[in-house]
Amino acid sequence: NSVGEACTELKREYDQCFNRWFAEKFLKGDSAGDPCGQLFKRYQLCVQKAIKEKDIPIEGLEFMGPSKGKTENSS
């Protein structure tokens, strides 16, 4: 299931698309194209909305995309 109940079906659709592409194309050497990109974007927007609605703190997490103005730590 997804973080937002409304997003679960989108997650399943994306997972199916990705798994099909990975098995039928990528593993056979065909990495061209992005057949699941639009599904992923729809799912990502749904998850972002659910996180805001549930007021889930995500500070410090970068899974939602690159942070603008992020400083690199050169330890």
Side-chain angles (χ1 to χ4, degrees), residues 21-74:
W21 169 80
F22 189 77
E24 296 174 8
K25 301 285 184 178
F26 184 79
L27 289 178
K28 294 178 181 176
D30 182 3
S31 61
D34 186 8
C36 308
Q38 289 301 317
L39 278 173
F40 179 75
K41 287 178 185 177
R42 288 177 42 216
Y43 174 56
Q44 184 181 37
L45 289 172
C46 188
V47 168
Q48 288 171 341
K49 181 179 176 189
I51 286 171
K52 285 181 184 178
E53 288 173 354
K54 293 178 183 237
D55 200 26
I56 298 172
I58 59 169
E59 204 168 296
L61 297 179
E62 297 176 29
F63 69 92
M64 300 305 276
S67 300
K68 298 200 187 238
K70 178 182 169 192
T71 59
E72 291 291 325
N73 211 357
S74 58

Side-chain angles (χ1 to χ4, degrees), residues 12-24 26 35-36 39:
R12 287 187 185 131
E13 287 178 36
Y14 171 72
D15 286 346
Q16 287 176 352
C17 181
F18 177 84
N19 290 334
R20 188 173 31 241
W21 169 80
F22 189 77
E24 296 174 8
F26 184 79
C36 308
L39 278 173

